Structures are given as C-alpha cells and as structure tokens.
Amino acid sequence: MNVVEVNGLGLHGANRAVVTDVSLALAPGRILGLAGPSGAGKTSLAHAVIGYLRPGLTVATGSVRVCGFDPFTASGSRAVRGSRVGYLGQDPASGLNPARRIGSQLAEALRRRPGLSDPRATVAEAAESVRLPADLLRRYPHELSGGQAQRAALAAALVGRPELLILDEPTSGLDVTLRRQVTELLCGLGAGTSVLLVSHDTEVLRHVAHDVLRMAAGRLVASAGPVAVPAPVTVPAPAVVPAPAAVSAPATVPAPAVVPAPMTVSVPAAACGSSPASRSDTLLRAAGIVAGYGRATVLDGVDLHVDPGQCVAVVGDSGSGKSTLGRCLAGLQAPWRGQIAVRGRAVPWPAGRRGADRVAVCYVPQDSRSALNPREPVAVALTRAGRAASRAGRQAADLATLLDLVGLPGLKDRYPGQLSGGERERVNLARALATCGDVLICDEVTASLDEQSERSVLDTLDRLRHELGLGIVLITHSPVVAARADATHHLAEGRLT
C-alpha cells in the first residue's frame, strides 16, 4: 500500500484555484521531490497531505489518503498527525513554542509515539542526527539562530520515527556543511520512512529524491521520472546550477507553463531614500560591536563599513552571529559595546532613535512569517511603512511600484497566510524599501525563492544601489548570492575577516 495517495486534488480559495487536478503516489521508503517556482502551490499541496487548509481554502475536487486514512476527517487526522507523520514547515521558528525549551519540545513530540524505549536517549539521538549541539536543547527558540531553529524543528519531526516525513525547504536556512549533513541524513533514513520533500534546491533534490515532480500555477507540469536510488553523498558547495533537461509531460498533464523573464522595472527616486547626488564617502560605519546573549559573546569587536551603492555580503556558519550583527546594525538590538554612524553621523541604539534615525537602516528579517501582522493585508503593511518614511521627511514610494519591484503585482489585498514563503519574503523586502532608508540589511532574503525569483530580486537590488546609491548588506549562506556583492566578509568566532 502506498504511504500517500492523492487523486485529482483541487484546492480553491479567494475566487482562484490554488491547486488543480493533482495526482501523485508515494511508496514506502521512497523520497518524492516537489519543485517549482515560488507561489506554485507546493506548500498548499504539502499541507493538504496532512489534512490542513489555510483559512479561505477549500477542497474542491479529489481525495487524499495517508497510510490509508483520510486526513481531512477527525478520525483520520488523529491517526496520522504527530504519530505516523512528521512535518517541518517552511518557517520553522514559527512552529516552535516560544515558552518552552527545545529539549522539552522534542520530548513532547516523542510522547506522541508511545512504545519507544529510553525517551531521553531518543531525543539526544534526534538532536545529534541534525548536528544540534546538546547545550542548545536547554535554550528557548528566541535564543537560536535561524539555522539552529531549522535543525531543532527538523529534530522534532524526526524524533518520533514517523512513517512519513513532509519537509518544506529543510535546507533553506543552513550553511553548506549543514546542508550536506542533512542531505546525508535524508539519504540514510532507510526503508521505514517515506519523504515528501519540497525544495527549490536542485542539488539537494538531485542527490536525495528517487522521483521529482514539478509544479507551476497549481498544476503538476512535469516529472523528472525515477532516478538512481540515492546513497550518502558529499554535496558540493552550491553553484549556479543549470536547469534540468526538459522532460516531456505525460499526455494527461498540461505542458509546462511558460515562465516569464525576470521583470524589469524602472526605479523611481521615491523608491529609496538616497540618490547619487547625495552620496557621502561612507553610508554606514560600525565600529567595535560587541554583543551576545546571557554570558555568551557572539560578536567580539566587529567593524564594518558600507559605501553608497556598495553591496557587502556577510557569510558564516549557522549560529555564528550573522543575524545578531544584522539586528545590531538595524538598531533592533543594542550591543554591549560599539558605535554606529550613518552618513558620518552617530546614530543612537534603539531606545534613542527618533525620526529619520528610525528608518535610516532597514532590516529584512529571516523569519518572514513572524515579521508580518497576520491580520493586515499586504497593502496595509506597505502603506504603514510608507507613512513612517513620510514622518521622517522622506518621499514614500507608490504601492504598485513597490510590488512591481519585487515581482508581486496584484497581491496587495492578500494576507500573509495566503502567501507562499517566497512571496512573504518579497513582501518583507518591499516593506523595507517602502521606508526609504539609506541602508538595507537583508537576512537570507532569497532563502525560500526559486532560482528565477532569486535572480529577479538580486537584479532589483543591484538596480537600486547603482541608480540610487542604496547601501546593502547581504547576510547569506549562498555562494551564488554572495557572488553579487562587491565585498564578502566571513564571520567566525565573533569576528569579521
């Protein structure tokens, strides 16, 4: 019996089809990859497999069976969730209880699978399998980096040894080494666990998945067909990966949709707070930044400067302090020591920032879900940011222009829960641009984007910095993203090199 069977599934919401006539099957011990552009419906399909529909979605056609159960019924949901199925969402930090330590949450996940001997050893084994150090089990989610939170959520999905793992972008927030280790972990799961793997990472899919399906506009448009059974491998550092060879779609499946070329949008002066004529020698200068959590020092005397129109990349291992640096630069976290200056003028830390100082440095966070108010549509979020710019004496950009800049025309009335992970990332970027700051701090801003959307966003940032003098700091694990920068710094042991 197949672990998953989806037949003719259609999901509708907000007067549009999100998923249309999708059929697939996943056999025991197999790994099925699901690829496609941002907003194609991959996450909605993954949610449907566990019987979850976001608000506003309904099942229009078809059926889903998991281990023989209908997950949309109360009895079927109880039979599969947390017992037979482990799930890792695209925004792992939002799936962790902020009031409980990580170890306690892994133990809670384990209690859903009675009969396992030595629970403490099982929790330790799950943490070790994702390279989560034992001392992190005593931390709360807010004390973890994005990559550490991702590994903690993956350990929670693995700890009960489920029959089915549903993983939505499990490597997006990980550095190259951890990405390789997670890939090897998935390859070594064995015949007892089937995996539905949603990913934009073509290298991971190529090395891990037995079969890969591709979605576009809510439909399955192509299949890569069966590949060699994966074995543990050493995955090289990401590079610009050529697109897979074209595969003829089955006769009953529509031909692959034509994907438009990246959008080219003229950049009005109001899209950013600076212009070439107003450039000074240095936009942002940070000196002697020392910061940490509790007794642990994360940043130890960090110096960084960004010139007008310059893009600086900050790379480093997961947990090295990259996001802490970004938050300090943006004034969201006060360091223990250090100074920051914008255009040669010292800027106070959070408590003292007023007026233009509050929007001088803008931050695009790594956790795109928690950064947006779930009760506000996109238009309200961007308008609110524009008002902040106006209060600071800057000319706010037009709403339609902002959405065009990030490739999301027509989404102004949607709520965060109605967006894919990649769409939420781009909305957060548009909101940061709406504040018309001098410097933009982008924390893994392309981590959940497909290759084409990533290129489009990076092209937009290049245009903004070259035409308007915007300074950019790219915090990233991706060599492809870092290659766009004028300078790259490595953060290790609290220092930039």
Side-chain angles (χ1 to χ4, degrees), residues 247-312:
V247 179
S248 298
T252 57
V253 180
V258 177
V259 181
M263 182 181 302
T264 300
V265 180
S266 59
V267 183
C272 184
S274 56
S275 63
S278 64
R279 296 183 182 188
S280 59
D281 291 338
T282 300
L283 267 184
L284 173 70
R285 183 179 298 278
I289 303 297
V290 179
Y293 301 93
R295 297 180 180 179
T297 300
V298 178
L299 304 176
D300 187 12
V302 169
D303 298 327
L304 180 72
H305 77 274
V306 182
D307 295 329
Q310 185 183 27
C311 179
V312 175

Side-chain angles (χ1 to χ4, degrees), residues 203-251:
E203 281 295 307
V204 169
L205 290 175
R206 186 173 300 159
H207 285 95
V208 171
H210 297 90
D211 303 276
V212 178
L213 301 176
R214 179 174 175 81
M215 290 189 72
R219 294 179 178 270
L220 291 180
V221 295
S223 170
V227 296
V229 176
V233 291
T234 299
V235 180
V240 179
V241 181
V247 179
S248 298

Side-chain angles (χ1 to χ4, degrees), residues 37-421:
S38 175
K42 305 183 299 298
T43 296
S44 294
L45 175 57
H47 283 166
V49 172
I50 57 173
Y52 171 77
L53 298 175
R54 69 172 187 242
L57 277 189
T58 59
V59 177
T61 61
S63 64
V64 177
R65 295 292 182 270
V66 178
C67 302
F69 297 94
D70 182 350
F72 289 107
T73 65
S75 60
S77 177
R78 287 193 298 270
V80 300
R81 289 193 189 181
S83 54
R84 291 178 171 85
V85 178
Y87 176 74
L88 173 68
Q90 194 168 4
D91 301 286
S94 64
L96 297 172
N97 186 338
R100 299 184 64 178
R101 298 180 192 272
I102 297 303
S104 174
Q105 296 189 54
L106 296 188
E108 173 65 25
L110 185 60
R111 281 194 285 272
R112 300 171 188 170
R113 289 296 301 270
L116 294 176
S117 62
D118 199 351
R120 182 172 297 182
T122 303
V123 167
E125 180 185 345
E128 172 60 26
S129 70
V130 297
R131 303 299 189 268
L132 191 68
D135 64 297
L136 296 188
L137 296 179
R138 294 193 53 78
R139 293 191 186 180
Y140 291 94
H142 73 273
E143 297 175 312
L144 303 181
S145 71
Q148 290 167 342
Q150 183 132 0
R151 282 178 281 159
L154 178 56
L158 287 167
V159 70
R161 300 171 185 171
E163 298 175 45
L164 171 65
L165 268 177
I166 300 176
L167 307 177
D168 196 348
E169 300 290 353
T171 61
S172 62
L174 304 182
D175 59 64
V176 173
T177 300
L178 290 172
R179 173 176 167 270
R180 180 180 65 249
Q181 292 169 348
V182 169
T183 299
E184 293 173 348
L185 168 67
L186 295 179
C187 289
L189 285 174
T193 302
S194 302
V195 181
L196 178 61
L197 175 59
V198 179
S199 181
H200 291 123
D201 194 324
T202 55
E203 281 295 307
V204 169
L205 290 175
R206 186 173 300 159
H207 285 95
V208 171
H210 297 90
D211 303 276
V212 178
L213 301 176
R214 179 174 175 81
M215 290 189 72
R219 294 179 178 270
L220 291 180
V221 295
S223 170
V227 296
V229 176
V233 291
T234 299
V235 180
V240 179
V241 181
V247 179
S248 298
T252 57
V253 180
V258 177
V259 181
M263 182 181 302
T264 300
V265 180
S266 59
V267 183
C272 184
S274 56
S275 63
S278 64
R279 296 183 182 188
S280 59
D281 291 338
T282 300
L283 267 184
L284 173 70
R285 183 179 298 278
I289 303 297
V290 179
Y293 301 93
R295 297 180 180 179
T297 300
V298 178
L299 304 176
D300 187 12
V302 169
D303 298 327
L304 180 72
H305 77 274
V306 182
D307 295 329
Q310 185 183 27
C311 179
V312 175
V314 176
V315 301
D317 294 342
S318 175
S320 61
K322 300 185 300 299
S323 293
T324 300
L325 175 60
R327 290 176 58 82
C328 288
L329 294 176
L332 299 175
Q333 177 177 336
W336 297 340
R337 293 191 301 276
Q339 295 179 333
I340 185 172
V342 177
R343 294 188 182 276
R345 188 173 65 86
V347 176
W349 298 110
R353 291 197 177 186
R354 296 290 186 272
D357 289 343
R358 299 186 65 180
V359 298
V361 182
C362 303
Y363 181 63
V364 185
Q366 188 171 2
D367 185 356
S368 63
R369 181 183 292 274
S370 64
L372 295 171
N373 187 335
R375 297 180 178 86
E376 285 185 351
V378 170
V380 173
L382 299 189
T383 300
R384 187 188 300 275
R387 288 173 182 165
S390 298
R391 289 194 296 270
R394 300 171 185 249
Q395 183 181 358
D398 176 73
L399 176 62
T401 299
L402 288 168
L403 290 175
D404 283 344
L405 279 173
V406 296
L408 295 177
L411 298 190
K412 64 183 181 67
D413 295 323
R414 292 195 194 175
Y415 289 82
Q418 297 173 315
L419 303 174
S420 71

Side-chain angles (χ1 to χ4, degrees), residues 172-175 312-317 320 322-323 366 442-447 454 458 473-485 488-490:
S172 62
L174 304 182
D175 59 64
V312 175
V314 176
V315 301
D317 294 342
S320 61
K322 300 185 300 299
S323 293
Q366 188 171 2
C442 298
D443 194 350
E444 297 287 0
V445 71
T446 64
E454 178 181 81
L458 294 175
V473 177
L474 288 177
I475 297 172
T476 183
H477 289 123
S478 169
V480 175
V481 175
R484 292 291 194 106
T488 299
H489 299 285
H490 187 267

